[in-house]
Amino acid sequence: MHDPDRELVERAQGELPYGTTSFDELVRRHSSRIYQRAYRILRSRADAEEAVQDVFLATFKNLPNYRFDRPFAHWLNVVTLNACRMLLRKRS
């Protein structure tokens, strides 16, 4: 299975914890799609923006443990869904 982000993720893993150049590129590459997905779920611009921040914070913290058994974009989708669920729980 080809993952277009694999090389960039591997570089980002190698740069952590102090270098973030490759991670910043991953954020630029995926933030719009993550925001759109979060907005469709949450129906709030502010909540979607918060979800995007939560997604990339969780991704940054857990990137050293990321395994390449699925595409990176799939992992981001799972993290996004979990972040949205947490925000929905906070709302109610």
Side-chain angles (χ1 to χ4, degrees):
M1 174 182 321
H2 175 71
D3 182 354
D5 294 312
R6 184 176 183 126
E7 183 180 325
L8 194 54
V9 171
E10 288 173 338
R11 280 195 323 230
Q13 287 174 325
E15 292 173 355
L16 294 178
Y18 303 109
T20 61
T21 303
S22 297
F23 185 78
D24 291 345
E25 179 60 30
L26 287 167
V27 170
R28 280 189 292 278
R29 187 179 286 188
H30 293 282
S31 60
S32 177
R33 185 178 52 79
I34 296 303
Y35 173 82
Q36 290 170 2
R37 182 174 173 90
Y39 182 79
R40 281 194 305 270
I41 294 167
L42 299 167
R43 298 287 180 206
S44 162
R45 291 176 68 154
D47 287 346
E49 289 170 1
E50 184 175 345
V52 170
Q53 290 178 0
D54 293 347
V55 166
F56 287 114
L57 179 60
T59 301
F60 185 81
K61 286 180 178 178
N62 293 296
L63 192 62
N65 303 320
Y66 173 71
R67 303 285 183 256
F68 293 94
D69 54 338
R70 296 232 164 117
F72 182 72
H74 172 79
W75 186 50
L76 282 179
N77 284 335
V78 171
V79 174
T80 301
L81 184 57
N82 289 337
C84 290
R85 286 178 177 155
M86 294 297 289
L87 285 170
L88 287 170
R89 279 188 206 132
K90 275 187 357 186
R91 265 196 210 164
S92 56

